[in-house]
Amino acid sequence: MKKKILYGFSSFVTVVFLTGCGGDDLLSDKNQNIHTGYIKPQKTAVIGQEYVFDQIPRVKSVRVLNRTDVDAIRVKGLEYLNKLRHQTGMIPFQSESHLDTAAYNHAHYLMINYAIGHNEFAGNPGYTGADPSDRAIYAGYAHRMVSENLSSGNSSVYDSIDALFSAIYHRFGFLSFSMDEIGIGADTSVLHPYGNAYNYDMGISQLRNVCEGEQFQDHGVYFYGVCSDLQFKIGQVQYENALRANQLRNPKYVLWPYLNQTDVPPVFFEEEPDPLPECSVSGYPVSIQFNESKNGEVFVDSFKLYYDANNSEITDTKLLDKKSDPNGYFSNYEYALFPMQRLDWDTKYRAVVSYTEDNIPYEVNWTFKTVALPYPYFKVTQEENAFTVTSGQTYLIYIPPKSCNDTGAGYSVRYTGDLLVESDYHDYNTIQIKVTGSSGDVNVLLQDGRNITLTVVLSDSVMKRATVVPGDSNDTATSANVQQSDESDIWDLLWLLFQIIKN
């Protein structure tokens, strides 16, 4: 299994915008690179930064995409992103054709050059621009404030978006208060090491409209280097109104996971730049973003996470904000709480944020639930572990990390008898396995020396439909609310008949 890696890319272009870290701090004094001036005298000032990321997991199989496939991915991706944004109270993204083209062009470039990341290099096949802003301008987009999220190796556009939301800098990009239009592109290649790329380019429609109109002709402060025409002048009021227009349409703050969400992953692994450089695995980050156009000065006094069932606080956490973010990308309005251990499957949690706005205290309190596993599962708790599995049934083996750097569920499989063993990763700490056969044992040897023995039995309807009391090692599987169909009974009977005939 290839390890998931999140790459960071900082594009220092004429006009840049912060994606994934402080994405709406557009009028800050940091990393300013937009030119402003008076008609007399001329001067310069700065605004914004762009940070873009991609995720590199793995893909099992590759199918060549045609135009219809790409269009379908765009529709599904836009619908899914807007569903998630709607749950947070945000305005939807609108599809923008030039951004669609730019997003696809870069996904295609990555595939035909067997590359990853956000850079393109002149002279390579499919080159349309060194960075996301250049590629958007090449595709006909009117301004350069373009942010980009990119993933590779995902099984679907849904999986791509979910993976990007698990990484805090990517998440802040998709939940930008300023961006309101998006282009989505995807491409595949059987020769690429990760098989595919999903690319998302985001922009601001109000700023696009300004750049498509008439430039500033009056006296006073203006901005240039913003539009496709680098000399196009935008008046200060018009420019700032365009940047804040979507912020004013969005809510006062955004919570993630959103209120009452029920399919939250329990884990976060890696991102580059790494928000947790000391760890490789932690719990899923919980975040709050405040809308700078709808809040005064904000300070978070406390950010806590509880098991909702017993009100027990999870104390092993780390809070990231502008001061504690090791990479310096959070704005004054962004906060994320990282549980330092994985969250539990199928468990309800409650987050509580106490903050002050202009010295007035407030509290935000909301719950969410982690996703349930799709199959019965075992939990490894000892050096030697023995479980009983039913032939033809898929199981999951959860291997809790021994430390926050334990992502290595490397393993080998040995088995006896006439068995067919199919195994894969569900995540880096969870193995998915199915054993088919009349009898025999399967040994799963983990890289760290722990051993798992699976004893195979033929299924019966009573066993398969019973609700199993949760247990640890040396026990039957914990129920994952999965009820097998009668089709499995038929296959087991056929397998038994085959064994009788063979012998």
Side-chain angles (χ1 to χ4, degrees), residues 162-428:
D162 286 340
L164 292 167
F165 264 96
S166 74
I168 194 64
Y169 299 126
H170 298 73
R171 179 191 301 175
F172 287 165
F174 276 147
L175 297 178
S176 167
F177 291 108
S178 300
M179 299 294 186
D180 70 331
E181 56 187 10
I182 192 170
I184 300 175
D187 201 11
T188 61
S189 170
V190 295
L191 300 177
H192 191 277
Y194 298 103
N196 62 30
Y198 294 91
N199 198 26
Y200 311 85
D201 286 338
M202 291 161 279
I204 304 170
S205 65
Q206 292 84 356
L207 192 56
R208 173 175 53 80
N209 292 334
V210 170
C211 290
E212 291 173 344
E214 294 184 2
Q215 70 173 325
F216 180 73
Q217 301 285 347
D218 206 348
H219 298 288
V221 178
Y222 66 88
F223 294 79
Y224 65 97
V226 179
C227 304
S228 57
D229 177 359
L230 291 172
Q231 301 306 314
F232 189 95
K233 300 179 181 66
I234 304 174
Q236 181 181 19
V237 173
Q238 190 179 29
Y239 176 74
E240 293 178 355
N241 286 344
L243 295 185
R244 290 196 170 103
N246 290 322
Q247 294 180 4
L248 295 173
R249 298 169 61 206
N250 273 309
K252 187 177 178 70
Y253 54 77
V254 165
L255 309 174
W256 195 270
Y258 58 77
L259 175 65
N260 296 328
Q261 187 172 349
T262 58
D263 57 353
V264 179
V267 64
F268 162 71
F269 288 105
E270 294 279 8
E271 186 172 8
E272 183 64 34
D274 195 342
L276 294 178
E278 70 276 20
C279 291
S280 295
V281 56
S282 70
Y284 192 81
V286 183
S287 63
I288 183 169
Q289 295 163 264
F290 295 93
N291 187 336
E292 65 174 312
S293 288
K294 290 190 173 182
N295 289 277
E297 184 178 6
V298 172
F299 179 77
V300 168
D301 301 295
S302 70
F303 197 151
K304 296 183 179 182
L305 187 64
Y306 300 85
Y307 291 100
D308 188 63
N310 60 11
N311 202 37
S312 173
E313 182 182 354
I314 298 170
T315 57
D316 188 9
T317 61
K318 183 173 182 177
L319 178 64
L320 292 193
D321 56 18
K322 183 177 178 63
K323 292 182 180 179
S324 61
D325 174 16
N327 301 294
Y329 298 126
F330 277 47
S331 76
N332 288 319
Y333 295 92
E334 295 168 331
Y335 297 82
L337 186 71
F338 284 79
M340 297 309 292
Q341 298 183 33
R342 287 181 60 131
L343 301 179
D344 296 329
W345 302 101
D346 196 22
T347 301
K348 190 175 182 181
Y349 293 90
R350 180 168 54 88
V352 181
V353 177
S354 298
Y355 72 97
T356 58
E357 181 199 345
D358 294 336
N359 296 318
I360 300 174
Y362 297 91
E363 183 176 279
V364 184
N365 186 321
W366 79 102
T367 61
F368 62 88
K369 189 176 182 182
T370 52
V371 66
L373 285 169
Y375 304 107
Y377 71 98
F378 304 103
K379 183 177 180 180
V380 172
T381 59
Q382 303 175 22
E383 293 300 310
E384 294 290 331
N385 305 267
F387 306 120
T388 300
V389 298
T390 301
S391 173
Q393 166 72 60
T394 299
Y395 294 89
L396 295 169
I397 302 173
Y398 173 50
I399 306 151
K402 290 184 174 180
S403 72
C404 74
N405 285 299
D406 182 6
T407 59
Y411 67 95
S412 60
V413 177
R414 297 182 178 89
Y415 52 93
T416 61
D418 297 324
L419 299 177
L420 172 65
V421 179
E422 303 170 67
S423 68
D424 198 0
Y425 286 91
H426 183 77
D427 67 34
Y428 297 124

